[in-house]
Amino acid sequence: MRTDTVLTDAIAERLARLGMECDRAEIRLERPQRLEHGDWSTNIALALAKRHGRRPRDLASQLASALEAEPIEYVEQVEVAGPGFVNFRLNAGWLHQVLREVVAGGEEGYAALDIGQGERLQIEFVSANPTGPMHVGNGWFGSYGDALARVMGRAGWKVQREYYVNDTGRQMRLLGESILARRRREAVPDEGYQGDYVAELAEQYDGPEDATEAGRFASSIILDDIRATLERINIHFDEWYSQASIEESGQVDETIELLREEGHVFEDGGAVWLRSTEFGDSRDRVLVRSNGEPTYLAGDLAYHRDKFLVRGFDRVIDVFGADHHGQVASLKAGVQALGVSPDRLEVRIGQLVSLVGARMSKRSGHYVPLSFLIDELGPDAARLVTLLSSIDQATTLDLDALTRESMENPVYYVQYAHARIASIGRVATERGIERGPVDATDLGLLVHPRELDLLRALVDLPRVVREAAVERAPFKVTNWARALAGAFHGFYHDCYVMGEDIEPPLTQARLWLVEATRIGLAIALGLLGVGAPEEM
RNA sequence: GCCCUCGUAGCUCAGUGGAUAGAGCACCGGCCUCCGGAGCCGGGUGCGCAGGUUCGAGUCCUGCCGGGGGCGCCA
């Protein structure tokens, strides 16, 4: 049984015996930031003090004595600290047990959770219009969405990655017109696309003087480029879902009809409106313009109806940039009007990324292409730039600093730890040292502070995966990986695995510690979608 | 004007009501006879401002100041 579960049981039992029964969920066990606060800590005495009209420290002392009265597995000392925390100090045995768990679980099984319970989850991200190459911002949300998909998958969701291809409507026509204008050696239309790639596409296009035709031609080439660029940073979509296919299949009309039947639609000024205010939107929205053309929202609702009611996803996460947050309320309202519970649709709004000296607008022609960033930093570092921080916070990328410091990117620090481990394996092979079975290994020899630090880091991975999944925050995995790598580098420096003064049994124990670390690093790097190299 | 979001160290960011607010970068010192120095060890007067809630606030509430975004029969 997990140590924190054992402790929670013990706390609940002692509290009940002291006449202060409480919900097990109220008992929160944490790993304190500071080692001097013990290996595990609970604030339950602080939480219960008021309810029972007691002073927190008194209650904590009473609980601590009750806990110390009978031995608990691995617990060496229980103490009251600060305003009323109860801290547990454990012997190294629990950490050795953790090492066995890591090794037993392996790359596949350790920190693989089932909190998603097999729920079918679709994550839609990037979905940039195929009207120009990927820019840094697309890569930003792409890395986030892909890492989130990996994390959710490990936490027990059945995940599908989707890219919504906006291959119809006004943008397509504008792209086509821009191509045609360039071919005629004329200026592109006011709101058209200016980049050099438009000229290149115009060179290649030898079809008829038809904007839709030219737009379709261009977008399919652009889409190939988008796909190739994303694959460079290890992003692969399961589905590229075409907006045109939704329109052509008649689903937009069907969706509007459905809404009409449910009485959520009215007509005004020749247009068809969705009564979205009834579902919390700040105003009603047009579905069909007075000229008979459906709006983007109508298509988007048909698309989401397809996700939930046709394809049957239990949950959908849309990753949008902050510049699209204005459409969230009407989308959620519409989905609700279609009879889908709104909490099944989750929209993650990522704050925009700004680059020092360059604004990233696709039409300006001054955006920074994602492929440029990948060329400069390499795929792993380019990908990890995103995964260093929450997307809830607007970030500024200093492109000069990034390229100047690319070797300082934390990804190398983590990968270097992995490469060092591989190197230990190579040296062991050269020296004819084999790792015996873990059950025949005396893990009790692992007592050096560096060794215990490493194990303490490994304990946290299941919790980190859970938090990263629940909070939709894959960057937490990055932070953990850095911490684990840090602990490993310290261990590597102070604790030789093989050497003249290292007794064979200690070598064995350390080889297993190294293997457990390798597993942890491989899991984390896999979740982040960056490589776990054997050499660098 | 209204709505959303964010202000934490020189810079980029962690910190989802708890203990002495932490990392990386940059800067200044140390450390290679042995598994890879892309490493290790040491060096810190910082939560935008003002109220409030709470035993306890960087975290929750209100107002103000500042940055970003959104408010179309555009997508």
Side-chain angles (χ1 to χ4, degrees), chain A residues 13 41 44 63 76 126 164 178 243 266 272 300 311 315 339 364 386 397 417 442 509:
Chain A
E13 193 271 335
S41 174
I44 188 67
L63 175 60
E76 215 154 61
V126 185
Y164 186 42
S178 305
Q243 183 180 4
F266 64 95
V272 178
D300 212 14
R311 286 188 280 166
R315 175 181 297 275
S364 71
T386 303
L397 290 185
D442 182 6

Side-chain angles (χ1 to χ4, degrees), chain A residues 57-229:
Chain A
R57 273 198 74 105
D58 291 348
L59 204 160
S61 303
Q62 201 182 358
L63 175 60
S65 322
L67 284 162
E68 276 200 306
E70 294 164 42
I72 304 168
E73 192 179 23
Y74 302 130
V75 175
E76 215 154 61
Q77 195 187 355
V78 184
E79 60 189 18
V80 177
F85 292 98
V86 177
N87 296 340
F88 298 86
R89 205 171 299 279
L90 275 57
N91 62 41
W94 79 287
L95 290 171
H96 302 144
Q97 186 53 37
V98 166
L99 197 163
R100 289 189 190 90
E101 280 172 34
V102 175
V103 170
E107 273 184 63
E108 292 298 314
Y110 185 62
L113 314 177
D114 64 351
I115 53 179
Q117 301 189 310
E119 199 177 67
R120 288 190 65 211
L121 167 68
Q122 183 199 69
I123 304 181
E124 184 213 321
F125 57 106
V126 185
S127 298
N129 292 345
T131 50
M134 294 274 90
H135 59 212
V136 170
N138 299 132
W140 189 260
F141 294 124
S143 301
Y144 168 79
D146 185 70
L148 180 63
R150 291 162 186 263
V151 167
M152 297 303 280
R154 194 165 191 94
W157 275 268
K158 201 162 171 281
V159 185
Q160 190 236 29
R161 297 167 172 81
E162 181 149 306
Y163 188 118
Y164 186 42
V165 183
N166 194 334
D167 52 1
T168 180
R170 184 162 172 272
Q171 311 272 24
M172 273 307 97
R173 276 200 306 279
L174 271 173
L175 178 63
E177 281 164 16
S178 305
I179 299 281
L180 294 175
R182 279 287 189 135
R183 192 169 68 165
R184 293 191 303 265
R185 311 266 177 235
E186 292 168 9
V188 301
D190 275 353
E191 292 183 65
Y193 297 92
Q194 311 278 352
D196 293 339
Y197 65 93
V198 177
E200 287 169 27
L201 289 165
E203 295 273 323
Q204 294 173 49
Y205 180 63
D206 59 0
E209 190 76 6
D210 176 278
T212 307
E213 194 73 19
R216 199 163 290 168
F217 168 85
S219 71
S220 89
I221 291 177
I222 291 170
L223 207 54
D224 285 342
D225 178 65
I226 287 175
R227 193 178 281 120
T229 305

Side-chain angles (χ1 to χ4, degrees), chain A residues 374-402:
Chain A
I374 302 172
D375 290 342
E376 290 291 315
L377 304 186
D380 285 345
R383 191 176 155 110
L384 205 78
V385 163
T386 303
L387 298 171
L388 288 172
S389 61
S390 159
I391 62 162
D392 297 332
Q393 174 142 334
T395 40
T396 310
L397 290 185
D398 182 337
L399 215 50
D400 299 334
L402 276 182

Side-chain angles (χ1 to χ4, degrees), chain A residues 367-475:
Chain A
Y367 66 91
V368 178
L370 177 57
S371 53
F372 172 78
L373 191 71
I374 302 172
D375 290 342
E376 290 291 315
L377 304 186
D380 285 345
R383 191 176 155 110
L384 205 78
V385 163
T386 303
L387 298 171
L388 288 172
S389 61
S390 159
I391 62 162
D392 297 332
Q393 174 142 334
T395 40
T396 310
L397 290 185
D398 182 337
L399 215 50
D400 299 334
L402 276 182
T403 44
R404 185 171 1 100
E405 296 162 4
S406 78
M407 286 309 286
E408 309 295 336
N409 190 298
V411 72
Y412 298 114
Y413 185 76
V414 178
Q415 289 180 325
Y416 185 49
H418 191 269
R420 272 182 152 175
I421 288 173
S423 165
I424 290 173
R426 287 191 294 270
V427 172
T429 305
E430 275 169 29
R431 299 187 188 175
I433 298 172
E434 277 185 39
R435 195 176 57 209
V438 68
D439 292 335
T441 304
D442 182 6
L443 298 179
L445 297 171
L446 301 174
V447 292
H448 192 283
R450 296 292 205 177
E451 295 167 331
L452 300 182
D453 281 347
L454 208 37
L455 289 167
R456 282 192 189 92
L458 284 165
V459 175
D460 288 332
L461 183 57
R463 180 183 55 78
V464 167
V465 171
R466 179 171 52 76
E467 280 182 15
V470 169
E471 297 171 27
R472 320 293 191 234
F475 77 91

